[in-house]
Amino acid sequence: MVSSFKPRKRKPGAGRKPNSVPTQAIRLPAPLVHHLLDLKKRGELESFYPGKMGKIFAGTAGVSLRIPLFESRVQAGFPSPGDDYSEGTLDLNDYLIPHKATTFFVRVTGESMTGAGIFPGDMLIVDRSLNPSDGKVVIAVLNGEMTVKRLKNNKDSLLLCSENDRYPDIKVTPEDEFSTWGVVTNVIHSLS
Amino acid sequence: MTRMFALVDCNAFFVSCERVFQPHLEKKPVIVLSSNDGCAISRSNEAKALGIFMGAPLCKIKDIVIKHNVYTFSPNFSLYADMSARVMETLKVFSQQLEVYSIDEAFLDLSSIPRHELMAYGSHIKKVIKKWTGIPVSVGIGPTKTLAKVANHLAKKHPTGCYTLITPEKTATILKDFPLQDVWGVGAQWSKKLSSLGMSSALDLAQKDTRWVGKAFNVILSRTALELRGVSCLNLEELISPKKSMISSRSFGTPIYSFEDLREAVSYHVSSLAQKLRQQGSKTSLITVSLRTNPFDRKGSFYSNTLLVPLSFPVSDTSVLIKAAASALEILFREGLSYKKVGVTVLNLSPETQRPSFLFNEMNFETSPKRESLLKAVDQLNDKHGKGSLIFASEGLIKSWKSKSSWKSPSFTQNWSQLMRVG
């Protein structure tokens, strides 16, 4: 048998009334519940609603609102007042290494880049995924030798520039075997 | 919609890893040896051209190595593993569906890429992997995993390093000249049997009735035949299932005579296996110890033996496993022989969470939560301070039995003091 099932039409105004502000269920210690309901009945919770003006109390002396003290155990020591503001800790990796898979560390041995703040013994953070464009400090491979230099990429010439007067710039000629290994993003220079 | 797969395979992977950090090796003959500096397991094209074949023992190719100044390296497996992870991570840029097939190969699902763009996409993958990681790769693309493998074979010889087998016509002409034994999943044994039945090329297998192949061989080969025809039967296996067994074995740098040295070596293997067990969250209930003398040593007599030790309940506790393995070694050991190799295998692996109950109370100290947290602490310390920082005393401190690795490159990406140096 085939029953003809007709969905009932929703009557206008049926069902639960929508709340004027978003609501959230919370869990309370049982003894607190009737106090809260009490406050609600007296309309004193209304003042917390955003956009509603608080109730004005007359400054009658001698009347005080009693706040119950509860026997609920603190789970793990004294709560830190900063808890609500915690935004996690800072991780240097997030700051220095956006591309983990393509980032390498390199130790500096030469003095040709001291003007750029790169000294012997420093550690360079090198990202291979970045584009070695004009003006970038790069790790270059020139005829099988690795070197750190600033790249000057003009229309008709390619220069590997030192930042130390005692070291001349190197002009890359078509006969040279040349490639860029990666782009230097940061220098880690220890002060001790 | 037809599917499309790419197989990305790193060229001479171990050699390429060495070259990333030592660019002067570019265009020179380079080989990487197996552990203990035994055989060539990775060769640059220049080394292949000199006639150094895959698996060539060093002693046999010594003359070529010296004459042609072949750069020879002991394996640096932790470096290769790190570079592999970088390549795989970068590949995820190109397809979220990826199967890491081995340390230097991965399958990618490229079904969503328009057909006419596949060649350009493959070349792009190759270019980006080379630039971002320094590793050269070959890319083969086809409508099934088996055809992607075939395409990859051809990509290796193609100047662009990328090859596609998309149209059935092109595939048929290629398969006609493609040797059966190079087809993924066929191998030397089956190709012999197939050629005795009159099949010599991959096309012959593709055109056979698959029901006949299934009957004459098995379902695996009939699936291969279908895949060669362009019908995708094998899916990407994106999840790595936990291992069912694990082995740790190594031949010694110099032969070993004493029981104490052997026990140290066994303890070392057990302890590294136990750590791996805990890492993947498994326990073992069957451990085997095997040892042998050098089969090529004509003077001494040859002895090789294996013993299985069943455990009464699954464990991953190093000291329990060491005790079991040492007791096996006592039975296996013969005085007066020069031992060349010892190995330990753990079998019957079960998940840690699966705890069998016992009729009698066997929950003694080995399975107590206290032990577990102790071992956890050991693992954490070794993770933080490097493998071997905290060891079980029975492993010994000197490790005179450790394998030779005379020409190992620095740990460029694992050790602060061994970073690549730049002037």
Side-chain angles (χ1 to χ4, degrees), chain B residues 120-131:
Chain B
Y121 200 73
S123 308
H124 184 58
I125 292 176
K126 183 184 160 61
K127 215 172 103 191
V128 171
I129 298 291
K130 170 71 180 153
K131 184 175 177 294

Side-chain angles (χ1 to χ4, degrees), chain A residues 100-110 123 128-132 139 141 144 146-149 177 181, chain B residues 19-21 23-24 27 82-83 85-86 89-90 130-134 412-413 416-417 419-423:
Chain A
K100 193 164 173 276
T102 58
T103 300
F104 296 85
F105 303 131
V106 169
R107 187 75 66 192
V108 180
T109 57
M123 196 180 79
R128 290 189 60 119
S129 71
L130 301 178
N131 207 17
I139 305 292
V141 184
M146 300 191 104
T147 180
V148 51
K149 292 284 179 297
E177 286 270 349
W181 197 90
Chain B
R19 276 178 167 167
V20 170
F21 301 95
H24 66 92
K27 295 183 179 162
D82 177 67
M83 292 306 287
R86 288 168 185 269
E89 195 57 42
T90 307
K130 170 71 180 153
K131 184 175 177 294
W132 290 18
T133 67
F412 296 107
T413 61
W416 292 117
S417 63
L419 298 180
M420 189 169 81
R421 284 166 186 274
V422 168

Side-chain angles (χ1 to χ4, degrees), chain B residues 37-51:
Chain B
D37 298 341
C39 320
I41 51 168
S42 180
R43 308 151 298 146
S44 71
N45 280 335
E46 298 78 8
K48 284 177 198 171
L50 291 172

